[in-house]
Amino acid sequence: MNPLMEISVSYTTSNQEKVRITSNKEAYELIIKNWNLDIIEFQEECKVVLMNKGNFVLGIYEVSKGGIDSSVVDIRIILGVALKCHATQLILVHNHPSGNLNPSSSDEKITESLQKACKLLNLSLLDHLIITSSDYYSFNEKNSF
């Protein structure tokens, strides 16, 4: 009889000072410090900022790296990571290598889908930021939520 494989979940913490996000601009400033600026204009990437109820950042998770104008965003992976690290709030972030900050229809669809999925698990999607090296678009600021 073959035993079932065991699934192990782990994450690491550091003794660094806790970062608290209280605005979309602070979220942008945090994420841009943790982005590879050498490729921000060449390759699309997607990350998620994971936070607790007090808006303290638990970590930043790299969801995917894509091509010139797209990357795969798998909602199941985002939610799995959020649950594993006990996050209650999320900010989805991706860059537009073109420099155009306007959301695409795909961006709008993924935001809506992630927002619905988060609601089912009692998580809050606080924002979805589209970034360049010098500016950002916030779905929350533009009342797209």
Side-chain angles (χ1 to χ4, degrees):
M1 184 170 166
N2 293 333
L4 294 175
M5 293 190 301
E6 182 177 333
I7 297 173
S8 175
V9 178
S10 68
Y11 63 99
T12 59
T13 60
S14 67
N15 291 331
Q16 293 179 336
E17 183 179 329
K18 291 185 179 182
V19 176
R20 187 168 191 247
I21 293 178
T22 59
S23 71
N24 302 320
K25 185 174 186 196
E26 287 177 355
Y28 171 74
E29 290 169 353
L30 171 72
I31 203 72
I32 206 71
K33 287 179 192 173
N34 291 280
W35 207 278
N36 182 348
L37 297 179
D38 292 335
I39 63 169
I40 197 167
E41 295 176 0
F42 300 105
Q43 183 178 20
E44 189 164 309
E45 296 180 85
C46 180
K47 300 182 184 192
V48 64
V49 180
L50 304 151
M51 298 181 298
N52 67 16
K53 241 348 180 192
N55 289 9
F56 286 100
V57 175
L58 301 171
I60 299 170
Y61 180 77
E62 184 176 296
V63 176
S64 65
K65 284 188 179 190
I68 294 170
D69 60 2
S70 67
S71 64
V72 175
V73 179
D74 191 326
I75 290 172
R76 295 167 295 185
I77 291 173
I78 293 169
L79 296 178
V81 169
L83 293 172
K84 287 174 191 174
C85 68
H86 299 203
T88 57
Q89 303 185 116
L90 314 172
I91 298 175
L92 186 65
V93 184
H94 81 281
N95 66 312
H96 277 181
S98 68
N100 179 356
L101 289 172
N102 294 319
S104 68
S105 59
S106 295
D107 296 337
E108 292 169 350
K109 286 177 188 173
I110 198 70
T111 304
E112 183 180 339
S113 296
L114 182 57
Q115 196 170 34
K116 287 178 182 177
C118 283
K119 194 172 187 175
L120 286 172
L121 296 174
N122 202 25
L123 302 172
S124 298
L125 177 62
L126 298 180
D127 206 346
H128 178 178
L129 299 178
I130 300 171
I131 68 166
T132 64
S133 58
S134 60
D135 205 1
Y136 68 95
Y137 174 95
S138 163
F139 276 77
N140 192 3
E141 277 181 12
K142 302 298 183 188
N143 296 319
S144 299
F145 271 34

